[in-house]
Amino acid sequence: MEASWYIPDLLPTMRASEAMKQILNHRWYTWASLYEAVKKNQSTEGIHDFRVASRRLRQAMACLAFYSSSNKKLKDQNRVIKFLADRAGEVRDRD
């Protein structure tokens, strides 16, 4: 398994906008794949990984919001991701 900080194809020579796109894409696809996995199998470890991925995605979105003109859309998406992570936490707590 790759290190949690590792973002494939992220290079120090990239423009900031390219790097942010790469980071967001990686965080989004990681989150989405863990979301699907949690829907199928609600293991404690899977829920934990999903919640961690949610926090990382929300942090990347917060960084983007600083530069984005679509701040409201990002805030709305952030709320949905937080809601799902919170519900996953409730499932985990029942274990």
Side-chain angles (χ1 to χ4, degrees), residues 42-85:
Q42 296 180 356
S43 71
T44 304
E45 186 175 322
I47 291 172
H48 170 77
D49 291 345
F50 170 71
R51 295 184 78 228
V52 169
S54 296
R55 284 192 299 276
R56 289 182 178 147
L57 175 59
R58 290 177 61 227
Q59 279 305 116
M61 291 170 65
C63 291
L64 177 64
F66 183 76
Y67 298 101
S68 176
S69 60
S70 59
N71 209 356
K72 175 158 177 14
K73 185 176 179 180
L74 284 170
K75 284 182 180 180
D76 291 344
Q77 291 170 338
N78 196 327
R79 273 193 284 276
V80 170
I81 292 166
K82 182 167 179 7
F83 174 81
L84 293 170

